[in-house]
Amino acid sequence: MATRVALKFMRECSLFRKVKFNDNSRHYFCTAASNGAAIGLLIGGGAYASTVDEATFCGWLFSATKLVNPFFAFLDPEVAHRLAVSAAARGWVPIEKRPDPPILELEVWGRRFSNPIGLSAGFDKNAEAVEGLLGLGFGFVEVGSVTPVPQEGNPKPRIFRLRKEGAIINRCGFNSEGIVAVAKRLGAQHGKRKLETSSSSSLTEEEVVHGGKAGPGILGVNLGKNKTSEDVAADYVQGVHTLSQYADYLVINISSPNTPGLRQLQGRKQLKDLVKKVQAARDEMQWGEEGPPPLLVKIAPDLSKQDLEDIAAVALALRVDGLIISNTTIQRPDPVSKNPVAAETGGLSGKPLFNLSTNILKDMYILTKWRGRVHKKIRAGATLVQLYTAFAYGGPALIPMIKAELAECLERDGYKSIYEAIGADCR
């Protein structure tokens, strides 16, 4: 079946024709983001006649994606990425039917997450595959970064695999179709979600409580600036005005190393001025009972102690709802430094970034006085954890595996809920 699905998809796909903090309101995200290679998503969907129970069959589908994953290693990283997004957008991906372990459920910003594992921005840059990606079992999906005006990004090639090191280097440079295209897609998804929830009015509150504006999980929208923009704040404000109505949370991305001058916005004065303007733009809009979407700031891992103190001070003073820690790094730690690909310009993500980003996470958790690898991130102070590079290499099968391992780790450590583990290593 996997072979038939893959062949049919390749015939249809144009690619082949052409080739927080935590004080009740603030929270930390931890992310291993990169804009890069993608994964084997070409299985699932379709019509099956099965004699096994749904949970068993669902598990088989996710495990079967491991057979497809190696196919993507033979493709150019960006072609593989494009193919994966198209597959998810078309529904050629498995759908998670099994409930998440109750110990993983948590509430952040008044929103219920069935689990804390999300997909980082950079994978679905243009909100093409939100429904399919949420259906994989992520607790949340973040789209973007979205720029006001469409732009191509940096010249290709711009994505490079370091498979042995479990890493990716990218210098995409905010390639985006722009906020108008993204708004159309998110608007359609939002309308579909409203119809689904209204038709479920007969269900109890507990049965419909999970999910957000786009589907069964929470949707984040990551905002960026255009490369040639002269008014940086205006770019982010435009993104807020156009896209915030569709977002469960918003992100100001000021940490990509691939857009000239962007990381300078992490300075104390620059950050303070920017956040004030974005908050004002959000708060001047009309909101219902649920209020405006939370606003987060995504920071770099290549920051000095003083930089971290400045960011923490601004976040506390302006009551930023959370920080995403972190973006990619311009450093090349061992063993990456020994790989010839390390000479490529761009941000590094994946396993080599783990210790650096975790240390930044701990520092920020302590500075703000808020209270497997995913398990370590949670204990270091993360409320939610985003994947990208690990997902690119591991594929859909990685998602249920991580959730099961995280639940096992929490129970092993004697925790009754995930809340108890947040920041445990910083106490």
Side-chain angles (χ1 to χ4, degrees), residues 197-213:
T197 54
S198 63
S199 65
S200 303
S201 56
S202 60
L203 298 177
T204 67
E205 181 181 351
E206 286 299 314
E207 289 175 309
V208 299
V209 70
H210 289 124
K213 294 182 178 180

Side-chain angles (χ1 to χ4, degrees), residues 48-268:
Y48 284 87
S50 176
T51 58
V52 299
D53 66 273
E54 188 174 58
T56 300
F57 184 61
C58 186
W60 179 85
L61 280 177
F62 275 86
S63 296
T65 63
K66 297 177 183 178
L67 301 176
V68 185
N69 261 13
F71 166 73
F72 287 82
F74 296 101
L75 301 176
D76 170 83
E78 192 149 2
V79 172
H81 180 196
R82 184 64 242 160
L83 174 58
V85 173
S86 297
R90 291 166 180 255
W92 296 102
V93 293
I95 299 175
E96 181 59 85
K97 298 291 187 179
R98 299 162 293 183
D100 288 330
I103 197 172
L104 299 184
E105 183 178 304
L106 73 165
E107 183 174 318
V108 187
W109 313 303
R111 290 148 175 80
R112 295 279 293 276
F113 291 73
S114 63
N115 73 78
I117 311 302
L119 179 61
S120 169
F123 184 84
D124 188 7
K125 290 175 173 288
N126 298 303
E128 300 172 75
V130 172
E131 185 174 9
L133 294 171
L134 285 173
L136 287 170
F138 285 112
F140 61 103
V141 167
E142 188 175 310
V143 300
S145 293
V146 188
T147 58
V149 179
Q151 62 180 29
E152 292 293 326
N154 293 323
K156 301 176 183 178
R158 54 192 179 184
I159 302 174
F160 308 90
R161 296 187 183 104
L162 296 87
R163 185 170 297 278
K164 183 178 179 181
E165 292 82 4
I168 290 171
I169 292 174
N170 93 85
R171 52 170 178 264
C172 290
F174 283 174
N175 49 312
S176 173
E177 293 181 10
I179 58 175
V180 174
V182 171
K184 287 181 180 179
R185 294 189 183 109
L186 291 183
Q189 186 69 26
H190 183 53
K192 181 179 179 181
R193 175 64 169 168
K194 288 183 71 174
L195 285 174
E196 290 174 350
T197 54
S198 63
S199 65
S200 303
S201 56
S202 60
L203 298 177
T204 67
E205 181 181 351
E206 286 299 314
E207 289 175 309
V208 299
V209 70
H210 289 124
K213 294 182 178 180
I218 300 298
L219 174 68
V221 176
N222 186 301
L223 304 175
K225 81 173 193 74
N226 282 112
K227 184 176 182 178
T228 59
S229 175
E230 296 182 0
D231 189 342
V232 174
D235 279 16
Y236 290 99
V237 166
Q238 189 175 354
V240 169
H241 283 161
T242 307
L243 299 175
S244 59
Q245 60 185 311
Y246 308 121
D248 293 305
Y249 69 88
L250 292 169
V251 180
I252 304 174
N253 187 352
I254 54 172
S255 52
S256 169
N258 302 313
T259 298
L262 187 69
R263 287 191 169 188
Q264 294 177 10
L265 298 174
Q266 295 173 121
R268 188 169 188 148

Side-chain angles (χ1 to χ4, degrees), residues 349-381:
S349 65
K351 290 181 181 179
L353 180 58
F354 179 81
N355 289 335
L356 178 60
S357 62
T358 302
N359 290 336
I360 296 291
L361 175 62
K362 288 181 179 178
D363 288 342
M364 291 303 290
Y365 185 85
I366 294 170
L367 281 170
T368 51
K369 299 181 176 62
W370 284 312
R371 297 177 54 97
R373 287 180 176 265
V374 170
H375 183 227
K376 289 181 180 179
K377 295 290 188 183
I378 298 290
R379 290 181 62 93

Side-chain angles (χ1 to χ4, degrees), residues 1-79:
M1 181 63 190
T3 302
R4 294 200 302 272
V5 169
L7 290 175
K8 182 178 180 181
F9 181 80
M10 286 188 283
R11 286 197 299 269
E12 295 178 354
C13 183
S14 61
L15 283 171
F16 283 88
R17 289 196 295 268
K18 292 184 178 181
V19 155
K20 221 166 152 234
F21 319 134
N22 190 359
D23 69 336
N24 297 326
S25 63
R26 297 173 181 79
H27 298 267
Y28 284 116
F29 270 67
C30 175
T31 177
S34 74
N35 302 325
I39 41 76
L41 292 170
L42 298 180
I43 187 146
Y48 284 87
S50 176
T51 58
V52 299
D53 66 273
E54 188 174 58
T56 300
F57 184 61
C58 186
W60 179 85
L61 280 177
F62 275 86
S63 296
T65 63
K66 297 177 183 178
L67 301 176
V68 185
N69 261 13
F71 166 73
F72 287 82
F74 296 101
L75 301 176
D76 170 83
E78 192 149 2
V79 172

Side-chain angles (χ1 to χ4, degrees), residues 252 271-281 283 295 318:
I252 304 174
L271 179 60
K272 185 176 181 180
D273 291 345
L274 177 61
V275 171
K276 278 185 174 181
K277 291 177 181 178
V278 174
Q279 285 178 329
D283 296 342
L295 182 66
L318 299 183

